[in-house]
Structures are given as structure tokens and as C-alpha cells.
Amino acid sequence: MDIPRIFNISESAHRIHNPFTPDKLATLGAALRPEPETRILDLGSGSGEMLCTWARDYGVCGTGIDMSPLFTEQARQRADELGVADRVAFIHGDAAGYVSEGEVDIAACLGATWIGGGVAGTTALLAKSLRPGGLILIGEPYWLRLPPTEDIARGCLAGSISDFLLLPERLASFRELGFDVVEMVLANQDSWDRYEAAKWLTMRRWLDANPHDEFAAVVRGQLTTEPERYATFTREYLGWGVFALMRH
């Protein structure tokens, strides 16, 4: 079980696999003010930066699930590095349908809502692990402004314009699902740049080290087209944020 190889290569040097910087992640933690021993479930936990840094900073504990063996191992190494391996655990597995054995205080999915077939399904899945009064965290793109054509939406790597909502509509959608939005932290252009542009140097260094790999042509194609695609489409049209929800 693994994610597509291009992501394991292009994001292999990332600690955060979404458009958040460490400062943004710290802002989210400070906004939520988790108490010591807060229990967190993180579906699609990537390299574990949220769980590991919050365990260090707030004394939380929790479990992360991710399909990438590489990212899961990086998460375990990060837990060792920060001295929190006794507080957090990382499982290599499919988070789709995963429900915690015991109720958690925070159930999160930051940037992987395909796990539940979209925002509504992922929110419902997370709610199955949540204690009454707990928090759900959803990380999801939204349109900064509606793309004028479907081609522009596809340039943002969306399947269609309907894949995402404008920010006010996204906030309203959570209410329609039965939740209050109680906090949000949004990416900005700089944090988007740090997520996307950092891939390019990683890909170039991988190509220099692996010129004869059978996958080199794919990586070369990505490196050739991604900077212009990102600057033309994603950077201009797509936002991203983490939304904290509590059931009505």
C-alpha cells in the first residue's frame, strides 16, 4: 500500500504535506489550545508534523494513519527526534473507514478528504471516533475566486469547478452538515509557495541522483511544467485552510 511514486519523490523533503508552514501549524495549535493528554486521531497524517509538534508543545497524545510507508517512517523518526515517541504512534495503512478504538478529543484530516469520498463523508467518518463535544479538523481547498472556465479549474488540478467552493460557501456547508465552525486558519500565498516550490528542488536533486531510473521521465515532465502551471492557476485561484468544527 502506497501513494503514487511522484508524491513520495516530490514531497520527500517536506515535513508538512499541505500548504501550511510550521508557523501556520503552530498558529492552529495556539488557536485550539489543546490541554495536556488531549487525544488526537489524524487520518492522512503524512510525516507526522502536527502530532509530533503538538505533543512537544502541548503534551497531547495520538495516532496518525497514512498510506505512504516513506512518510510514516519519517513521522516515527520525527517523534524520536522531538522526544515524543511515547506519546504518538504512526500506522502505515489505509485511513478510509478507520475508526479509533476509543473516543478522541480531536479528529483530523488535513488535505486528504478523498479518504471519505469528500468533505461530507470524511466529516462523518471522523465523527465516529469523536467524543461528545470534541473537535473535528478538516483541511480543504477552496476557490479564492471562481475559475471562469473548466480548463482553468483543471489547471488547478481540480476535476471541475464544482470540486471546490468559495470560502463563504465552504463555511456554510459545514453548518448544513450539522456543525459550528469554531476556528479556521488559512494558508496564504507564501505558505502555498513553500509547499509547491519546495517540490521543484527536491525533484531536480532526485533527477541528478537518479538519471537512469525508469521513472525519471515522469519526474522531468513534472519539473518542466509545474512551476508555470502553479503560478498560472493554483496560486491565483485556489486557497486552502483548516476548519475546526463542533457538532451543533
Side-chain angles (χ1 to χ4, degrees):
M1 181 185 298
D2 203 350
I3 61 175
R5 191 180 181 195
I6 188 62
F7 297 110
N8 277 321
I9 291 172
S10 65
E11 298 190 26
S12 60
H14 283 52
R15 283 184 172 170
I16 302 172
H17 301 277
N18 59 55
F20 262 15
T21 58
D23 285 348
K24 289 282 185 182
L25 194 58
T27 296
L28 179 64
L32 299 179
R33 306 181 296 277
E35 296 289 335
E37 306 304 325
T38 292
R39 295 159 296 167
I40 301 178
L41 174 66
D42 188 5
L43 301 186
S45 51
S47 297
E49 192 71 359
M50 182 178 76
L51 279 176
C52 290
T53 56
W54 289 8
R56 175 197 64 193
D57 296 341
Y58 299 104
V60 306
C61 55
T63 302
I65 319 292
D66 200 89
M67 287 182 67
S68 169
L70 172 64
F71 297 164
T72 303
E73 180 56 32
Q74 289 177 339
R76 292 168 180 159
Q77 292 174 3
R78 185 64 166 152
D80 288 337
E81 177 186 339
L82 296 185
V84 295
D86 60 331
R87 306 195 65 79
V88 295
F90 295 97
I91 299 170
H92 170 232
D94 186 356
Y98 185 92
V99 177
S100 175
E101 290 185 4
E103 292 180 336
V104 300
D105 303 297
I106 298 175
C109 181
L110 307 190
T113 56
W114 52 265
I115 286 170
V119 171
T122 300
T123 303
L125 173 61
L126 293 171
K128 294 178 180 179
S129 297
L130 195 67
R131 69 163 176 81
L135 283 169
I136 286 177
L137 302 181
I138 293 285
E140 181 72 2
Y142 61 89
W143 295 122
L144 296 171
R145 62 183 189 276
L146 282 178
T149 69
E150 293 289 351
D151 283 345
I152 289 176
R154 286 188 286 270
C156 298
L157 304 183
S160 69
I161 294 173
S162 62
D163 279 5
F164 305 126
L165 302 174
L166 293 166
L167 182 58
E169 295 168 348
R170 172 50 67 204
L171 296 173
S173 75
F174 293 125
R175 182 187 69 248
E176 293 163 2
L177 293 174
F179 292 88
D180 292 321
V181 180
V182 297
E183 252 294 359
M184 70 178 187
V185 178
L186 304 180
N188 57 25
Q189 281 198 332
D190 179 67
S191 58
W192 264 110
D193 290 349
R194 291 302 82 236
Y195 173 55
E196 293 288 348
K199 301 175 187 179
W200 309 336
L201 180 59
T202 301
M203 287 191 287
R204 175 53 195 266
R205 287 178 170 167
W206 184 91
L207 284 167
D208 289 347
N210 301 275
H212 304 300
D213 192 287
E214 61 181 12
F215 202 65
V218 175
V219 178
R220 165 48 61 189
Q222 286 278 97
L223 179 57
T224 300
T225 59
E226 274 299 286
E228 184 177 354
R229 183 208 62 77
Y230 166 66
T232 303
F233 298 111
T234 299
R235 198 174 193 269
E236 296 300 313
Y237 287 93
L238 203 60
W240 195 87
V242 176
F243 306 94
L245 316 176
M246 295 181 71
R247 190 177 294 281
H248 286 167

